[in-house]
C-alpha cells in the first residue's frame, strides 16, 4: 500500500506529481492511500510501504482531464484524490473516456468540478473588504473574512491580484489565508475570523441594497437559489433582508392604495421648457425631407429605422430611382451606400455618368424586411406600399423637373410608369412616365449581384453599363 | 431646503433606478489592473449580491438625477410625479463607484439619468463621469451608460469609447403605445440612435489600411428594455419587436420588465400586480429564439390569442402542439431536433452528441447528463425506454401544468 499526503496549499501540483509517479510505476488505485492534510484520519502507518515513486517520463492525458483535476483537487471531499487517480488509471485503457458524459465516475468528478467552480465564483462575488489602512499611509489596505465551501482561495488569488493591484489586501478563510503586499500574493495557513474595524462605505452599501429592491416583485426563492443562506452571515447587506421581506407586501399595498396625485407646481414650467427645446431638436431637414422623415402613411415605418430621402442637387437634370433602402441604407439614412450602391457607383463611373450631378432616390422610402436570426432579409414592396410612397416620389420629381429619370428595377418602373412587368425585355428603352417625363428602364444593380455565374454577370453588367451611358448621353443632348 | 447627505441622495437615486431590469456585466474587453489602475473585466459577469425581488446586483445602478422634463406615464421620474428629487455631482458618482468597487461590492457602474435642461447637457455630464473614472481613477471595471436618444452623435461617440455597453430603452412594444404613454419620446429617434451604435460598432471592428485597430466601441454591445403589461400588446407583438431589434441592430439583449406599480403613479395606468409570470415566459421564449433555432411564429402560434401559455413553458407548449414529431430517438435524432425536446438544454444536447459517438445511450445515461427526464421522458426513446402511448395521451398537458387552484374570494 502506497500512501500519499496532499497538503491544502499547492494541492494540484502535489497530486499531479504523485499521480504521475504512481502511474509510471504501475501502482493500481486499490494499492494507493490518499490523505488530504487536515482532513480525516492520520495516515495509515501500518499499511504504508515504500516511498512514492517520482517519474520524469512524459505522460499523455487529455487536456480536459488536466483542467478538471486542477479544480477537483480543491474540493472538500476527502475522497477527491483517490477518485481522480482511479479515473486517470482507467484513462490509460479508455482514452475516449473524457468524452463519455454518461460514465458514472466521470459524472461524479464533473459534479465536483462544477461545485468547485461555483464556489470559486461565489467567493469572487461575496468577499467583502473592510478598510484597515493606517492613518497617513500612502497605500490603502483592506481585509476580508470569508468561509468558502471548498478550498478555492488559492484558485482565486490571481483574480484578486489582477483586480485590486493598487491596494494591499488580505483574505482570511478558516483553511488558507491570502496576503497581497508589495505586488506578490503569499498563501499561508488559515486563521480565526479577525476583528475588522467599522467601515463607513458599508452603511452606504446597505442604503443602496435597501433601495434598489422593488417591494412589488418579491421573489425570495430566486434570491436564495443564487445567494444561499450559508453565505449570509458574512454579507453585511444580508442583515437587511428579513425586514425587507416582511415589509414588502404592506409597501406594495400602500402603493396600490395611494390615489394619483396632482403634478407638482414645477411640472408646468419644466414642460414649458421641454416645449421650447422640442422645436430646436426636431429634424432640421427642410420641407420635403422633413415631411418624408416623419412619414407614417403606410405601416413600413414601424419596423424600419428611418425613412431614406433622396440625395443630390435638387434641380439635377438626371434622376436615378432605385427600389427601396436596404439594410445599410436603413442604418445610415442615406441612399445607395450598401453593396448595390457601390456597384452602381463603379459602373456609373465607367459609363461616364456623374453620380454627384444626379439626384439619387428610391421608389419606396422605408426598408421592408423580415428578420431571420440575426439578419434582415429584404422584402419586395407590394403595389400598395409603392402607391403610398408615390406621393413622395412625385414631389421629388416635381421639385427637380429632370430631363431624364432612370428607373432601376421593377419597383421603380412600376412607380414611374404604372407597370413593373418584363423589365429585362423593356430595358434600354425610353418610355413616357406618368408625370410626362422621359423614363429610361434598366435593371437594378442588386440583380447583377445575385446572378449565379460570372459569365452571365459580366454580360448583364455590360448591358447595364450601356444603359447608363445612354442615359448620360441623353441628358447631354437634351440639355443642348 | 436643507442640503441632502450623500446617503439620502443614494437612497433616492437608487430607488429611482430599480425599474431598469438590466444589471448584466458580461462581455466587454478583457482588462486587468496589472499595469496600474484598479479593476478588471474577465468577460464573465459577477453578481455580487441578490435583492429579495430575485434580481442580481452586479453594478452600482443609479440615476445621475431623477429630475426629468419628460412626462412618460409609466415612469416614476416623470415631471408630473411628486417623488422626492435629488442630483449627484460628478465627483460623488465617481467616489461611490470606486469605494464600492474597492470593497468588492460591485463590478462597475450602470448610469442612467432623467433628462434635465436638455438631452445634450444631461449626456455630457454622464460622459464626464465615465471619462473621470477611466482617465483619472484608472478604472478598468465595467461601465454601462444609458444613452439619451436625442443627444448629439459626438457625445454618443465618446460614451461608446469609454463604456462597455450602451443602451437605449424602446420602452413599449409598438410605436403607437409609445406615443400614447411617452409623448416626448420619438420611436424613430430611438431606432436611429440604435442604428448609429450598430454602425459605429461595425466601423470599430474594421482595421485601417495599415492594419491598426481603431479603439473599441461599446465592446459589450447594446441592449434595450421593453415594459410588459402597461399597454395591451400581446406576446406575439413583443417578441416580433424583439426579433426585429436583434436582426436590425445586433442587440446583445432585449430585457423585459413587467410593469410594476410605482409610488405616486399616473392616473393613465392601472395599478396591477406586475405580470411576473408573463415576463418569465417572455425571457424563456427569447432564449428559444436566440439559442434554439425557433421562429417567432412557431412559438406564438401555439395559442390562439398570441399570448404565451402562462402554465407551461413555451418549448413544452410547442412540443405538445407538435406531437407528431415525437418521440425522438436520442441515439439518432439530429442536433436541431434534439434542441426541441422539452427538458433538454444546449449543454445536454452537446453531451448527448459527444457521448453517442462512443456508445448507445440508455435512459439512465441521459438522466445523468443533466436532462430533466420528468419533462423529456414523454418525448424521447432511448435504450431501455419508450414512452409508449404517453405522447398521445389526452392528459399529457395536465402532467406538466400546475394543479388547478381555488380562486381567492376576498
Amino acid at each position: 500500500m502506497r500512501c500519499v499526503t496532499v497538503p491544502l496549499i499547492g494541492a494540484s501540483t502535489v497530486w499531479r506529481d504523485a499521480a504521475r509517479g504512481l502511474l509510471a510505476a504501475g501502482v493500481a488505485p486499490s494499492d494507493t492511500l490518499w490523505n488530504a492534510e487536515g482532513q480525516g484520519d492520520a495516515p495509515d502507518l501500518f499499511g504504508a510501504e515504500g516511498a512514492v515513486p517520482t517519474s520524469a517520463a512524459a505522460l499523455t492525458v487529455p487536456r480536459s482531464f488536466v483542467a478538471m483535476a486542477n479544480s477537483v483537487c480543491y474540493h472538500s471531499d476527502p475522497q477527491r484524490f483517490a477518485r481522480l487517480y482511479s479515473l486517470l488509471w482507467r484513462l490509460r485503457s479508455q482514452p475516449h473516456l473524457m468524452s463519455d458524459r454518461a460514465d458514472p465516475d466521470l459524472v461524479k468528478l464533473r459534479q465536483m468540478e462544477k461545485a468547485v467552480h461555483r464556489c470559486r465564483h461565489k467567493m469572487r462575488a461575496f468577499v467583502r473588504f473592510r478598510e484597515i489602512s493606517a492613518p497617513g499611509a500612502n497605500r490603502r489596505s483592506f481585509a476580508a473574512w470569508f468561509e468558502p465551501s471548498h478550498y478555492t482561495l488559492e484558485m482565486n488569488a490571481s483574480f484578486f491580484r489582477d483586480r485590486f493591484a493598487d491596494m494591499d489586501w488580505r483574505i482570511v478563510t478558516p483553511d488558507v489565508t491570502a496576503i497581497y503586499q508589495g505586488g506578490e500574493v503569499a498563501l499561508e495557513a488559515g486563521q480565526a475570523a479577525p476583528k475588522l474595524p467599522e467601515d463607513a462605505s458599508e452603511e452606504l452599501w446597505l442604503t443602496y441594497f435597501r433601495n434598489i429592491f422593488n417591494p412589488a416583485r418579491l421573489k425570495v426563492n430566486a434570491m436564495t437559489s443564487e445567494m444561499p443562506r450559508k453565505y449570509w452571515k458574512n454579507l453585511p447587506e444580508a442583515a437587511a433582508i428579513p425586514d425587507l421581506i416582511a415589509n414588502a407586501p404592506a409597501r406594495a399595498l400602500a402603493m396600490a392604495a395611494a390615489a394619483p396625485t396632482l403634478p407638482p407646481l414645477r411640472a408646468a414650467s419644466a414642460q414649458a421648457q421641454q416645449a421650447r427645446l422640442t422645436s430646436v431638436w426636431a429634424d432640421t431637414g427642410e420641407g420635403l425631407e422633413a415631411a418624408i422623415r416623419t412619414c407614417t402613411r403606410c405601416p413600413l415605418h414601424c419596423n424600419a429605422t428611418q425613412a431614406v430621402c433622396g440625395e443630390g442637387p435638387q434641380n439635377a437634370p438626371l434622376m436615378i430611382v432605385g427600389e427601396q433602402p436596404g439594410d445599410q441604407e436603413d442604418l445610415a439614412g442615406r441612399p445607395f451606400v450598401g453593396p448595390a450602391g457601390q456597384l452602381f457607383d463603379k459602373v456609373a463611373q465607367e459609363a461616364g455618368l456623374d453620380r454627384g450631378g444626379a439626384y439619387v432616390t428610391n421608389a419606396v422610402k422605408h426598408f421592408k424586411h423580415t428578420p431571420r436570426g440575426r439578419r434582415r432579409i429584404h422584402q419586395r414592396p407590394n403595389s400598395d406600399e409603392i402607391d403610398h410612397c408615390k406621393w413622395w416620389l412625385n414631389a421629388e420629381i416635381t421639385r427637380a423637373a429632370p430631363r431624364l429619370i432612370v428607373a432601376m428595377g421593377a419597383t421603380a418602373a412600376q412607380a414611374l410608369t404604372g407597370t413593373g412587368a418584363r423589365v429585362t425585355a423593356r430595358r434600354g428603352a425610353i418610355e413616357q412616365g406618368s408625370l410626362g417625363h422621359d423614363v429610361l428602364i434598366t435593371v437594378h444593380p442588386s440583380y447583377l449581384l445575385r446572378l449565379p455565374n460570372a459569365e452571365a454577370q459580366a454580360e448583364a453588367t455590360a448591358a447595364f453599363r450601356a444603359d447608363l451611358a445612354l442615359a448620360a448621353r441623353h441628358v447631354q443632348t437634351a440639355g443642348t | 431646503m436643507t442640503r441632502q447627505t450623500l446617503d439620502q441622495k443614494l437612497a433616492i437615486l437608487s430607488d429611482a433606478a430599480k425599474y431598469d431590469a438590466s444589471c448584466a456585466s458580461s462581455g466587454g474587453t478583457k482588462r486587468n489592473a496589472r499595469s496600474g489602475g484598479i479593476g478588471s473585466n474577465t468577460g464573465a459577469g459577477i453578481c455580487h449580491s441578490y435583492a429579495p425581488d430575485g434580481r442580481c446586483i452586479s453594478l452600482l445602478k443609479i440615476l445621475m438625477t431623477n429630475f426629468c422634463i419628460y412626462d412618460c406615464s409609466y415612469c416614476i421620474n416623470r415631471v408630473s410625479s411628486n417623488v422626492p428629487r435629488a442630483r449627484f455631482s460628478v465627483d460623488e458618482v465617481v467616489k461611490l463607484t470606486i469605494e464600492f468597487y474597492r470593497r468588492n461590492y460591485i463590478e462597475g457602474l450602470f448610469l442612467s439619468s432623467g433628462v434635465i435642461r436638455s438631452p445634450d447637457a444631461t449626456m455630457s455630464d454622464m460622459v464626464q463621469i465615465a471619462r473621470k473614472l477611466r482617465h483619472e481613477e484608472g478604472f478598468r471595471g465595467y461601465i454601462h451608460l444609458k444613452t439619451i436618444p436625442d443627444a448629439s452623435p459626438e457625445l454618443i461617440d465618446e460614451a461608446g469609447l469609454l463604456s462597455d455597453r450602451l443602451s437605449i430603452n424602446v420602452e413599449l412594444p409598438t410605436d403607437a403605445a409609445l406615443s400614447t404613454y411617452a409623448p416626448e419620446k420619438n420611436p424613430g429617434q430611438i431606432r436611429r440612435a440604435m442604428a448609429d451604435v450598430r454602425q459605429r460598432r461595425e466601423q470599430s471592428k474594421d482595421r485601417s489600411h495599415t492594419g491598426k485597430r481603431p479603439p473599441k466601441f461599446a465592446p459589450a454591445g447594446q441592449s434595450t428594455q421593453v415594459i410588459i403589461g402597461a399597454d395591451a400588446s400581446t406576446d406575439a407583438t413583443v417578441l416580433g419587436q424583439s426579433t426585429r431589434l436583434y436582426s436590425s441592430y445586433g442587440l446583445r439583449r432585449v430585457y423585459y420588465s413587467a410593469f410594476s406599480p410605482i409610488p405616486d403613479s399616473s392616473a393613465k395606468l392601472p395599478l396591477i400586480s406586475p405580470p411576473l409570470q408573463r415576463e418569465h415566459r417572455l425571457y424563456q421564449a427569447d432564449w428559444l429564439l436566440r439559442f434554439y433555432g425557433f421562429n417567432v411564429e412557431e412559438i406564438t402560434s401555439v395559442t390562439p390569442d398570441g399570448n404565451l401559455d402562462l402554465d407551461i413553458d413555451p418549448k413544452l407548449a410547442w412540443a405538445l402542439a407538435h406531437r407528431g414529431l415525437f418521440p425522438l430517438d436520442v441515439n439518432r435524432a439530429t442536433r436541431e431536433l434534439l434542441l426541441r425536446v422539452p427538458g433538454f438544454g444546449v449543454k445536454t444536447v452537446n453531451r448527448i452528441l459527444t457521448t453517442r459517438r462512443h456508445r448507445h445511450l440508455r435512459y439512465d445515461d441521459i438522466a445523468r447528463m443533466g436532462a430533466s427526464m420528468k419533462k423529456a421522458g414523454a418525448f424521447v426513446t432511448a435504450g431501455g425506454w419508450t414512452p409508449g402511448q404517453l405522447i398521445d395521451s389526452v392528459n399529457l398537458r395536465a402532467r406538466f401544468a400546475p394543479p388547478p387552484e381555488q380562486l381567492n374570494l376576498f
Side-chain angles (χ1 to χ4, degrees):
Chain A
M1 183 70 75
R2 307 294 180 109
C3 181
V4 189
T5 300
V6 185
L8 269 186
I9 297 171
S12 67
T13 324
V14 173
W15 178 83
R16 191 145 60 141
D17 289 346
R20 192 193 296 261
L22 290 169
L23 201 66
V27 183
S30 54
D31 293 332
T32 322
L33 196 63
W34 295 90
N35 286 303
E37 191 185 47
Q39 269 187 318
D41 302 331
D44 185 358
L45 294 177
F46 301 102
E49 163 208 312
V52 178
T54 53
S55 162
L59 177 68
T60 319
V61 289
R63 190 179 299 217
S64 57
F65 177 79
V66 179
M68 182 178 78
N70 281 343
S71 295
V72 171
C73 281
Y74 296 100
H75 197 279
S76 60
D77 183 353
Q79 293 298 310
R80 61 195 179 276
F81 303 118
R83 282 183 185 278
L84 278 172
Y85 186 63
S86 62
L87 191 81
L88 182 63
W89 185 260
R90 285 181 58 207
L91 268 176
R92 295 179 318 162
S93 54
Q94 293 161 264
H96 74 264
L97 186 57
M98 287 306 288
S99 55
D100 183 348
R101 285 308 304 260
D103 181 83
D105 288 348
L106 181 65
V107 167
K108 177 70 189 165
L109 282 168
R110 285 289 189 197
Q111 278 167 358
M112 290 167 76
E113 181 193 34
K114 193 174 167 190
V116 169
H117 285 176
R118 182 173 163 91
C119 175
R120 178 178 67 178
H121 185 82
K122 292 299 177 196
M123 177 186 274
R124 291 176 180 184
F126 297 150
V127 158
R128 295 283 180 265
F129 284 116
R130 278 189 178 181
E131 182 150 28
I132 53 166
S133 313
N138 59 359
R139 199 172 155 86
R140 298 177 68 181
S141 162
F142 293 81
W145 163 252
F146 192 71
E147 293 167 78
S149 315
H150 304 287
Y151 308 112
T152 40
L153 182 55
E154 184 175 347
M155 301 173 79
N156 266 335
S158 58
F159 170 82
F160 284 103
R161 179 197 66 204
D162 291 352
R163 173 162 290 199
F164 300 109
D166 76 337
M167 62 192 215
D168 290 337
W169 52 261
R170 60 181 58 212
I171 300 171
V172 184
T173 75
D175 306 291
V176 184
T177 300
I179 300 171
Y180 178 76
Q181 226 160 6
E184 292 293 328
V185 187
L187 294 169
E188 294 177 1
Q191 300 167 8
K195 276 239 170 299
L196 296 174
E198 296 286 312
D199 192 319
S201 289
E202 208 160 279
E203 269 308 303
L204 286 171
W205 173 240
L206 274 165
T207 302
Y208 177 70
F209 185 77
R210 286 197 196 98
N211 285 289
I212 200 70
F213 151 65
N214 184 349
R217 306 179 45 114
L218 200 59
K219 270 185 173 177
V220 180
N221 288 340
M223 169 180 69
T224 46
S225 75
E226 295 299 331
M227 193 166 73
R229 285 173 204 271
K230 67 182 174 189
Y231 293 110
W232 285 19
K233 63 176 186 279
N234 293 320
L235 290 169
E237 66 268 30
I241 293 175
D243 251 7
L244 291 177
I245 295 177
N247 296 330
R251 283 173 68 192
L253 276 177
M255 278 195 283
T261 51
L262 288 172
L265 284 175
R266 67 162 183 283
S269 69
Q271 280 177 317
Q273 181 197 353
Q274 149 75 10
R276 279 200 305 279
L277 284 167
T278 315
S279 60
V280 181
W281 311 323
D283 287 320
T284 49
E286 285 169 84
L288 182 59
E289 270 75 18
I292 292 175
R293 280 197 202 102
T294 54
C295 173
T296 52
R297 287 169 48 78
C298 76
L300 289 185
H301 76 275
C302 289
N303 302 338
T305 303
Q306 54 197 325
V308 178
C309 302
E311 225 176 50
Q314 280 183 13
N315 52 357
L318 178 64
M319 190 158 166
I320 315 275
V321 181
E323 183 186 22
Q324 63 160 346
D327 183 62
Q328 295 297 319
E329 288 82 5
D330 172 73
L331 296 173
R334 295 184 50 212
F336 283 85
V337 292
Q342 285 162 12
L343 179 65
F344 171 75
D345 284 352
K346 183 172 153 275
V347 180
Q349 204 185 4
E350 290 164 2
L353 187 148
D354 170 28
R355 174 175 168 178
Y359 188 85
V360 182
T361 191
N362 283 305
V364 172
K365 309 299 181 199
H366 280 111
F367 179 34
K368 183 180 183 183
H369 60 272
T370 51
R372 188 168 307 153
R374 300 197 66 91
R375 293 186 305 132
R376 300 194 283 186
I377 307 299
H378 157 274
Q379 298 283 299
R380 191 169 165 168
N382 62 33
S383 56
D384 186 48
E385 287 146 357
I386 296 173
D387 284 347
H388 269 100
C389 233
K390 226 150 76 176
W391 173 324
W392 303 122
L393 184 63
N394 287 347
E396 287 176 304
I397 294 172
T398 313
R399 186 177 68 180
R403 284 176 218 140
L404 178 69
I405 305 174
V406 177
M408 298 199 297
T411 303
Q414 186 178 345
L416 290 161
T417 66
T419 167
R422 303 181 301 116
V423 165
T424 39
R426 288 157 70 190
R427 64 175 310 161
I430 292 181
E431 300 180 9
Q432 187 82 19
S434 44
L435 290 185
H437 293 81
D438 286 349
V439 177
L440 172 69
I441 311 277
T442 186
V443 296
H444 196 274
S446 62
Y447 160 77
L448 307 175
L449 289 172
R450 278 199 299 268
L451 282 173
N453 69 64
E455 203 177 315
Q457 205 172 25
E459 202 176 307
T461 309
F464 181 56
R465 193 183 299 116
D467 290 347
L468 294 186
L470 172 66
R473 280 202 307 280
H474 185 87
V475 170
Q476 273 162 8
T477 48
T480 50
Chain B
M1 199 174 91
T2 51
R3 252 180 100 82
Q4 290 167 323
T5 63
L6 185 60
D7 195 68
Q8 287 166 333
K9 288 187 190 179
L10 180 63
I12 293 172
L13 292 169
S14 52
D15 190 87
K18 69 188 172 197
Y19 304 97
D20 244 316
S22 164
C23 196
S25 55
S26 49
T29 11
K30 292 196 168 128
R31 297 181 293 256
N32 60 53
R34 261 179 292 183
S35 57
I38 178 166
S40 60
N41 186 23
T42 55
I46 300 178
C47 300
H48 284 267
S49 195
Y50 290 83
D53 53 12
R55 301 217 212 162
C56 95
I57 300 174
S58 171
L59 303 169
L60 172 62
K61 185 163 55 175
I62 47 175
L63 258 60
M64 192 174 71
T65 174
N66 64 343
F67 285 103
C68 189
I69 57 180
Y70 289 175
D71 200 25
C72 309
S73 34
Y74 52 81
C75 179
I76 185 181
N77 303 314
R78 67 186 190 285
V79 66
S80 60
S81 145
N82 284 288
V83 289
R85 308 278 172 163
R87 183 178 178 185
F88 278 130
S89 71
V90 170
D91 287 330
E92 281 170 334
V93 177
V94 171
K95 182 172 175 255
L96 267 179
T97 309
I98 292 289
E99 292 305 316
F100 276 12
Y101 196 88
R102 282 195 187 283
R103 286 160 180 80
N104 205 39
Y105 301 158
I106 51 167
E107 283 291 288
L109 175 67
F110 176 170
L111 189 64
S112 177
S113 181
V115 179
I116 42 165
R117 302 206 306 282
S118 72
D120 272 359
T122 310
M123 193 71 218
S124 106
D125 282 357
M126 293 171 78
V127 167
Q128 204 188 334
I129 289 173
R131 193 189 303 134
K132 205 157 184 179
L133 274 172
R134 288 279 192 245
H135 296 161
E136 285 179 29
E137 302 287 336
F139 181 63
R140 311 285 166 91
Y142 198 89
I143 298 182
H144 176 163
L145 291 182
K146 177 129 283 171
T147 54
I148 313 286
D150 298 296
S152 76
E154 297 78 46
L155 286 169
I156 306 281
D157 219 40
E158 190 176 0
L161 293 174
L162 290 167
S163 59
D164 291 277
R165 176 174 280 188
L166 292 180
S167 60
I168 303 168
N169 285 353
V170 297
E171 309 288 14
L172 289 160
T174 61
D175 286 7
L178 192 67
S179 56
T180 311
Y181 296 113
E184 290 90 355
K185 291 202 175 178
N186 173 349
Q189 180 76 54
I190 293 170
R191 286 194 288 269
R192 277 196 291 281
M194 290 202 263
D196 284 344
V197 172
R198 177 182 149 186
Q199 284 192 303
R200 193 65 184 73
R201 271 169 56 72
E202 280 167 3
Q203 284 160 19
S204 82
K205 282 177 194 144
D206 296 338
R207 286 165 191 272
S208 72
H209 64 284
T210 53
K212 210 179 135 201
R213 264 181 214 283
K216 288 215 165 97
F217 187 88
Q222 57 173 334
S223 60
T224 194
Q225 171 170 309
V226 193
I227 296 170
I228 305 304
D231 66 330
S233 302
T234 62
D235 292 340
T237 314
V238 175
L239 291 170
Q241 183 197 40
S242 302
T243 44
R244 282 197 304 278
L245 292 172
Y246 283 128
S247 64
S248 301
Y249 311 114
L251 289 192
R252 195 60 64 92
R253 279 294 292 276
V254 174
Y255 290 93
Y256 305 99
S257 176
F259 175 69
S260 120
I262 49 178
D264 198 46
S265 68
S266 156
K268 284 188 202 161
L269 282 169
L271 278 170
I272 38 150
S273 62
L276 297 179
Q277 188 63 17
R278 188 173 168 206
E279 180 191 285
H280 177 56
R281 295 287 178 234
L282 280 167
Y283 276 119
Q284 288 178 321
D286 192 80
W287 217 257
L288 294 182
L289 296 174
R290 287 187 295 146
F291 303 111
Y292 288 78
F294 279 84
N295 295 330
V296 192
E297 294 75 30
E298 287 180 297
I299 298 171
T300 52
S301 63
V302 173
T303 48
D305 62 351
N307 279 321
L308 299 171
D309 193 331
L310 290 180
D311 290 339
I312 52 176
D313 69 75
K315 195 178 181 185
L316 186 55
W318 178 86
L320 288 175
H322 296 83
R323 296 189 199 193
L325 281 172
F326 299 102
L328 288 178
D329 184 349
V330 170
N331 285 296
R332 288 168 183 280
T334 60
R335 182 189 169 79
E336 287 69 32
L337 281 174
L338 284 174
L339 281 173
R340 301 212 160 199
V341 176
F344 283 7
V346 174
K347 273 188 185 168
T348 307
V349 170
N350 286 343
R351 286 170 187 173
I352 288 173
L353 293 176
T354 45
T355 306
R356 82 182 183 186
R357 270 185 242 146
H358 304 295
R359 59 197 182 86
H360 189 75
L361 294 177
R362 301 185 59 78
Y363 181 88
D364 295 345
D365 294 329
I366 313 164
R368 268 200 299 274
M369 284 178 190
S372 158
M373 292 311 285
K374 224 174 112 192
K375 264 189 201 169
F379 298 95
V380 292
T381 61
W385 170 255
T386 159
Q389 296 305 307
L390 198 53
I391 189 73
D392 295 321
S393 67
V394 193
N395 60 353
L396 185 58
R397 184 178 186 278
R399 290 167 63 98
F400 303 112
E405 211 176 307
Q406 174 78 51
L407 283 176
N408 197 345
L409 284 174
F410 303 102

